[in-house]
Amino acid sequence: MNHRKSDHRGNSSQNVTDLVTLGKQDQRAGGTPMNAKESQARPAPARAKRGPYATTPARRVAIVEAASASFAEHGYERSSLRDIAARANVTHAALLRHFASKDDLLLAALARRDEQDEELARRIMESDVSAERVLTSVLREEFERPEMQRNWLAITVAATNPDHPAHDFFLARRDKMRANFASGRLETALDHDELSADDKVTMVLAMIDGLRIQALLDPNRAVLPLLERFMRLIATTQRITSSNAQAAGGL
């Protein structure tokens, strides 16, 4: 009788052991950790990316583009870091991790616009647009948006102050345009004096800035054709490069 009892207990113990073993196997098959030790041994599942701005370069580009839009809409002085952060869909603290100040954002926005203008000029030149129309093609969108043009022009004027954060940027842009412009001299029609490359750079920039003001004063007047006529004279001895176009056609 004792033997039967012992045998019964043995069978019961074995049955319990089998059930526990099967349960553990089922847990393993279902992907559920068996215990804390096994859970620690298993690698953590990979986290999904948090959207298109999860990487730092993409997030910086988004912030710079938001800053450009804010500057164009409100002007540099009236724009705020919180408005820029909201446009970029980031927190104010996250913005400050990428850019320490609004001055840094302004310089980044100017550099970004230079890149975009140069890329646009390159595509226009590859389409065999005539030399005198390269600048007008780059400037056309700006001249169709007077409020944006007014705010960016205000930045240009403010940057004439040596203490302005963008002052050195505009000086460097002019130097780059001077270096890329043809070094050949241009003879004038009346008194046979010659214009140097530096003279031509000054005249082109003055013409563009003057046309910007005239377009804002009289929106119904088409001023870009006047720039094309002017460029026919300037471009007689050289082909405008994409660097010329972006240096003259930005802010």
Side-chain angles (χ1 to χ4, degrees), residues 48-59:
K49 292 185 178 181
R50 294 177 295 171
Y53 304 132
T55 61
T56 296
R59 189 181 294 273

Side-chain angles (χ1 to χ4, degrees), residues 35-81:
N35 51 42
K37 185 176 181 180
E38 183 179 351
S39 176
Q40 292 175 356
R42 293 196 176 195
R47 292 184 178 180
K49 292 185 178 181
R50 294 177 295 171
Y53 304 132
T55 61
T56 296
R59 189 181 294 273
R60 284 179 63 88
V61 169
I63 293 172
V64 171
E65 290 180 347
S68 298
S70 183
F71 296 155
E73 181 177 342
H74 302 298
Y76 173 69
E77 298 297 335
R78 295 189 303 276
S79 63
S80 69
L81 292 179

Side-chain angles (χ1 to χ4, degrees), residues 33-245:
M34 182 175 64
N35 51 42
K37 185 176 181 180
E38 183 179 351
S39 176
Q40 292 175 356
R42 293 196 176 195
R47 292 184 178 180
K49 292 185 178 181
R50 294 177 295 171
Y53 304 132
T55 61
T56 296
R59 189 181 294 273
R60 284 179 63 88
V61 169
I63 293 172
V64 171
E65 290 180 347
S68 298
S70 183
F71 296 155
E73 181 177 342
H74 302 298
Y76 173 69
E77 298 297 335
R78 295 189 303 276
S79 63
S80 69
L81 292 179
R82 294 194 181 278
D83 174 63
I84 294 170
R87 290 171 183 263
N89 196 27
V90 299
T91 64
H92 183 252
L95 183 149
L96 292 177
R97 284 198 293 269
H98 293 281
F99 298 96
S101 68
K102 192 166 70 169
D103 288 355
D104 290 343
L105 267 174
L106 173 62
L107 295 177
L110 290 168
R112 175 71 172 166
R113 183 165 178 179
D114 261 1
E115 292 173 0
Q116 293 171 335
D117 285 345
E118 186 168 7
E119 174 60 21
L120 176 60
R122 184 189 63 79
R123 293 199 306 268
I124 291 171
M125 292 187 65
E126 288 177 352
S127 65
D128 294 327
V129 171
S130 60
E132 65 269 16
R133 293 184 58 195
V134 173
L135 277 178
T136 58
S137 299
V138 173
L139 291 168
R140 192 169 306 283
E141 180 181 356
E142 176 193 326
F143 274 71
E144 291 174 351
R145 300 174 62 186
E147 193 59 36
M148 179 188 77
Q149 187 179 51
R150 184 177 293 107
N151 285 327
W152 285 121
L153 187 59
I155 293 174
T156 306
V157 174
T160 60
N161 185 337
D163 295 329
H164 193 277
H167 180 74
D168 291 341
F169 175 89
F170 282 100
L171 290 181
R173 160 180 282 191
R174 189 179 188 282
D175 290 342
K176 181 167 60 175
M177 185 178 180
R178 182 190 294 117
N180 285 290
F181 226 90
S183 59
R185 304 179 70 85
L186 178 66
E187 183 177 320
T188 59
L190 297 178
D191 54 12
H192 301 290
D193 288 339
E194 292 181 333
L195 296 175
S196 67
D198 189 62
D199 293 335
K200 290 188 284 184
V201 170
T202 301
M203 291 176 66
V204 170
L205 293 176
M207 183 72 171
I208 293 172
D209 288 338
L211 291 178
R212 282 171 169 147
I213 295 174
Q214 295 305 313
L216 290 172
L217 289 173
D218 185 4
N220 294 322
R221 180 174 179 79
V223 297
L224 287 179
L226 298 176
L227 179 59
E228 290 185 13
R229 294 179 64 183
F230 178 74
M231 291 307 297
R232 290 192 189 100
L233 173 65
I234 297 299
T236 51
T237 60
Q238 57 119 69
R239 173 74 176 177
I240 298 176
T241 68
S242 61
S243 296
N244 302 154

